[in-house]
Amino acid sequence: MVTIETIETFIVDVPTIRQHVLAMATMRTQAMVFVHVRCSDGVEGIGEGTTIGGLSYGDESPEGIKLTIDRHVAPLLHGSDASPARATMLLRKSIVGNHFAKNAVETALFDAAGKRAGVPVSELLGGRVRDRLPVLWTLASGDTARDIAEAETMIDQRRHKAFKLKIGKRDLVEDVAHVAAIKRALGDQASIRVDVNQAWDEATAKRGVAMLADADVDLIEQPISGANVSGMARLTAMGRTAIMADEGLRGPIDALRHATDAAADVFAVKIAQSGGLRAGAAVAGIAEVAGIGLYGGTMLEGPIGSIASAHLFATFAGLAFGTELFGPLLLAEDLLAEPLDYTEFSLAVPSGPGLGLTLDMEKVRAFRRDGDRRTVISISKAVGA
């Protein structure tokens, strides 16, 4: 039996290429918890725990994720079976919640398992049905003219042709005017969606849904509190435009309730928010059975978390609303030895063993919060390498 020998964590802080305005916070840097697992057969794996806007978004922070793994997860899994399924089963039995921490460790174990077997992680998740994933871009400067110019540049570069706007921080009428102006400027060249990040109450949301539908918006993401599933069902029943659940989906149980109550037209699948790759697959399975559309979500992860998500999303039979795996593009520094392939409005899913990527450890060390300059073993090491 292959066992887990060590689990190490460190935080990297990387500036973003521009400020990213959400309803609850404005991001200028992204903090990522990198997890390095070494197994008894010498195979190593890497994972990532990343959230948005610190504790203003959710109940896990980078510091909390690292502490949970260092003090609770690592001692629990030391010497245990390195199988992702068995390790995550042990975690579920012993640790409540902490989905982002669990996902980071499970990702590292899947990376190691794929390297051990000589196959991509997507093959361990059932097998990919696509090699490229459509990727949208979020326009989050808050300035209409700047957002239009940014979108036109992305279209000209053939990098993105679907755009999501972060709204909910300003007055409803002002927000809708901003969205409508961008849609008019781009016309049929692009799909326009909005993300309210739970900022509206239900009365405001009813007005907003109607106004945004009139502006030809294709999708409205989590307009009200994720806890208000009944309210989401009422907004979905309006039938004006597609309503997507995001923050309300904290794993398969939440997905089942949303499906049962017809509380969304679309599910945003996020592996970290779901509690891991296998939990994310379960959320998608519930959606598919219920006839709910799928969208590949993000926590604005860096390259590790984004590619882990990509391996799962590549296995989905349907992906009607594409993905938003643009997190690495938002970072001011590329942390990979070989950049990801973002061309023709899509992202290529790596085909190498495990996650199929290699970090540039010199760049990673430059952004480590602890300033540690020790030589770190390359995560690209495979069996016999």
Side-chain angles (χ1 to χ4, degrees), residues 219-289:
L219 181 71
I220 301 173
E221 182 175 349
Q222 201 65 60
I224 60 176
S225 169
N228 188 0
V229 179
S230 297
M232 286 287 287
R234 289 187 286 271
L235 296 175
T236 302
M238 290 174 64
R240 294 298 308 275
T241 192
I243 302 296
M244 182 161 73
D246 175 11
E247 286 91 345
L249 298 176
R250 294 277 298 173
I253 293 176
D254 287 339
L256 180 60
R257 184 181 175 193
H258 277 74
T260 301
D261 292 355
D265 298 299
V266 185
F267 279 0
V269 181
K270 295 181 176 180
I271 62 173
Q273 194 162 269
S274 298
L277 285 157
R278 295 169 71 240
V283 169
I286 291 168
E288 290 174 346
V289 170

Side-chain angles (χ1 to χ4, degrees), residues 190-335:
S191 170
I192 298 297
R193 299 95 180 266
V194 300
D195 185 1
V196 190
N197 285 128
Q198 311 179 86
W200 292 340
D201 58 33
E202 191 174 341
T204 303
K206 287 178 179 177
R207 291 178 58 213
V209 168
M211 294 166 70
L212 289 166
D214 289 341
D216 205 20
V217 167
D218 296 325
L219 181 71
I220 301 173
E221 182 175 349
Q222 201 65 60
I224 60 176
S225 169
N228 188 0
V229 179
S230 297
M232 286 287 287
R234 289 187 286 271
L235 296 175
T236 302
M238 290 174 64
R240 294 298 308 275
T241 192
I243 302 296
M244 182 161 73
D246 175 11
E247 286 91 345
L249 298 176
R250 294 277 298 173
I253 293 176
D254 287 339
L256 180 60
R257 184 181 175 193
H258 277 74
T260 301
D261 292 355
D265 298 299
V266 185
F267 279 0
V269 181
K270 295 181 176 180
I271 62 173
Q273 194 162 269
S274 298
L277 285 157
R278 295 169 71 240
V283 169
I286 291 168
E288 290 174 346
V289 170
I292 294 170
L294 289 177
Y295 175 77
T298 182
M299 294 304 301
L300 296 180
E301 291 103 334
I304 301 169
S306 296
I307 290 304
S309 297
H311 278 285
L312 174 62
F313 301 160
T315 70
F316 292 173
L319 200 57
F321 288 85
T323 79
E324 57 176 312
L325 297 179
F326 67 89
L329 296 173
L330 191 61
L331 301 178
E333 186 68 61
D334 188 344
L335 300 179

Side-chain angles (χ1 to χ4, degrees), residues 139 141-145 147-148 165-167 170 173-183:
L139 302 171
S141 75
D143 179 270
T144 304
D147 282 351
I148 291 171
L165 281 72
K166 294 288 188 179
I167 64 174
R170 299 180 291 194
V173 174
E174 187 179 355
D175 264 341
V176 172
H178 171 66
V179 174
I182 292 173
K183 177 58 182 177

Side-chain angles (χ1 to χ4, degrees), residues 331-361:
L331 301 178
E333 186 68 61
D334 188 344
L335 300 179
L336 295 180
E338 182 178 344
L340 298 175
D341 177 5
Y342 285 98
T343 55
E344 294 302 312
F345 308 113
S346 62
L347 166 66
V349 184
S351 58
L355 293 176
L357 55 78
T358 303
L359 289 175
D360 183 326
M361 296 311 301

